[in-house]
Amino acid sequence: RTRQAPPAPAAPAPAAARTSRPVRVADFIDHYRLMSADSDFRFSEEFEELKHVGREQPCSAADLPVNRPKNRFTNILPYDHSRYKLQPVDDEEGSDYINANYVPGHNSPREFIVTQGPLHCTRDDFWRMCWESGSRAIVMLTRCVEKGREKCDRYWPYDTRPVYYGDIAVTALNESRYPDWTVTELMLCRGAEQRVLKHFHFTTWPDFGVPDPPTTLARFVRAFRERCPADARPVVVHCSAGVGRSGTFITLDTALQQLAAHADCLDVFGMVHAMRRERVWMVQTEQQYICIHQCLVAVLEGQDLAAPP
Ligand SMILES: CCc1ccc(NS(=O)(=O)O)cc1
């Protein structure tokens, strides 16, 4: 019988865009050195691959005329499929809308609700979101005013007198100030129900930039997790637009929990890719992307990153 020639190898599939780039923990420090060589050349290439992720998805609710004034930035809009929906008020059009999306973390696909810095006209909606979601923590990563520009409304009380935001009374119970952040315990009251919610405010992170030194972010994440262990309730995270600094914080929080769980690999690219499917521009700048890696290298090198007492 004549032998048949082996089948020709299948043509290689077109290079589908990658969704993950895992790195072995044992190789991570060397990986960082390679990526940062030649003025971060490989970091630039990798970060560029994330540019269009998620951008084809609709934002129709955000575009409704009734909702447009609720957006701090016209180009930072929540995707419909992952947006947080407030409980609608009667037949009021747009009453379920807030510029916020569910974003995955280490512990669940909806671990975080990421939102813009509240506007004066949306701060009552912000508190309604915190209440209705059952959140027990807010992470704020911007100052209210930076370089003379408003980045976020002052949406919580200045002192211990209760302030009403819609039908929710917010009272500051106590405050702990540190060089780079402030932690405030807030009491929320709605009708006969009371809840305590912790407010973690990082106060030294410049917009579009990174903390100085970058490892300050790892200390903050550690301090946050010491006082807010993961549970089933979502954490509200915001900065000014709710994309750059918020995405950077969540990525590092997720990666540090993976390290603590003795993961063999870290996939920073895959984490940012997954987040950008849920909310636009999560981790906005290349320096923020590199900052995440720098914090992970510092942890792997065993640097003392203990949070202040
Ligand atoms: C152009 C809109 C915009 C403003 C600010 C930011 N930075 S932030 O998401 O870290 O607050 C990101 C985007």
Side-chain angles (χ1 to χ4, degrees):
R1 230 159 48 88
T2 56
R3 287 168 55 84
Q4 283 190 340
R18 277 179 297 203
T19 62
S20 71
R21 298 184 75 173
V23 177
R24 294 186 54 76
V25 170
D27 304 332
F28 197 86
I29 295 174
D30 286 342
H31 171 77
Y32 173 78
R33 290 190 185 120
L34 178 67
M35 296 292 282
S36 56
D38 303 318
S39 305
D40 300 323
F41 178 76
R42 291 177 179 81
F43 272 129
S44 301
E45 278 189 325
E46 181 166 292
F47 189 66
E48 184 69 13
E49 282 189 52
L50 293 160
K51 190 172 185 178
H52 301 296
V53 173
R55 300 310 308 274
E56 79 286 353
Q57 301 174 113
C59 305
S60 53
D63 271 329
L64 289 174
V66 69
N67 291 332
R68 283 184 197 146
K70 304 174 186 175
N71 299 315
R72 180 174 286 277
F73 299 103
T74 56
N75 60 341
I76 308 291
L77 304 177
Y79 297 131
D80 292 327
H81 77 93
S82 57
R83 75 180 180 94
Y84 182 86
K85 292 180 182 175
L86 296 164
Q87 288 169 17
V89 176
D90 303 328
D91 294 332
E92 191 181 311
E93 191 192 17
S95 60
D96 75 344
Y97 181 77
I98 185 168
N99 188 311
N101 295 94
Y102 282 107
V103 168
H106 177 69
N107 304 291
S108 91
R110 288 190 157 189
E111 181 163 1
F112 299 97
I113 297 172
V114 183
T115 188
Q116 65 183 21
L119 295 159
H120 193 71
C121 69
T122 64
R123 67 183 186 180
D124 292 359
D125 295 335
F126 173 83
W127 283 113
R128 199 147 73 83
M129 176 173 74
C130 293
W131 184 273
E132 292 174 1
S133 66
S135 177
R136 84 282 192 215
I138 296 170
V139 175
M140 175 175 178
L141 302 165
T142 184
R143 287 196 302 279
C144 290
V145 178
E146 294 179 2
K147 295 181 180 174
R149 292 189 170 202
E150 194 216 74
K151 298 285 183 172
C152 180
D153 181 65
R154 173 69 197 219
Y155 60 82
W156 71 104
Y158 285 94
D159 54 38
T160 55
R161 286 171 295 181
V163 178
Y164 271 90
Y165 302 95
D167 64 349
I168 299 170
V170 180
T171 308
L173 300 176
N174 57 63
E175 180 183 87
S176 307
R177 289 191 182 203
Y178 304 95
D180 295 289
W181 59 82
T182 299
V183 183
T184 308
E185 277 204 330
L186 299 170
M187 164 99 84
L188 275 57
C189 298
R190 192 181 202 185
E193 192 176 345
Q194 290 185 342
R195 294 178 196 167
V196 174
L197 179 146
K198 291 176 186 165
H199 188 263
F200 297 83
H201 186 190
F202 196 118
T203 53
T204 60
W205 190 344
D207 202 353
F208 309 110
V210 296
D212 179 20
T215 47
T216 311
L217 179 57
R219 294 179 190 280
F220 176 68
V221 170
R222 281 256 172 93
F224 164 68
R225 280 300 174 195
E226 280 170 11
R227 298 182 63 155
C228 192
D231 69 20
R233 295 167 295 180
V235 175
V236 173
V237 180
H238 77 84
C239 35
S240 181
V243 296
R245 291 168 284 186
S246 296
T248 305
F249 168 83
I250 291 171
T251 307
L252 185 59
D253 175 64
T254 304
L256 289 179
Q257 289 186 72
Q258 289 174 351
L259 280 182
H262 308 297
D264 290 331
C265 290
L266 288 173
D267 186 2
V268 176
F269 179 87
M271 288 179 226
V272 178
H273 191 287
M275 285 197 302
R276 285 193 173 196
R277 296 293 308 164
E278 309 308 316
R279 186 168 172 89
V280 66
W281 282 7
M282 295 293 279
V283 186
Q284 185 196 17
T285 71
E286 185 183 309
Q287 279 311 307
Q288 290 170 348
Y289 191 71
I290 293 170
C291 170
I292 295 163
H293 290 78
Q294 289 170 327
C295 288
L296 292 171
V297 165
V299 169
L300 290 170
E301 285 177 338
Q303 288 183 31
D304 173 23
L305 295 170

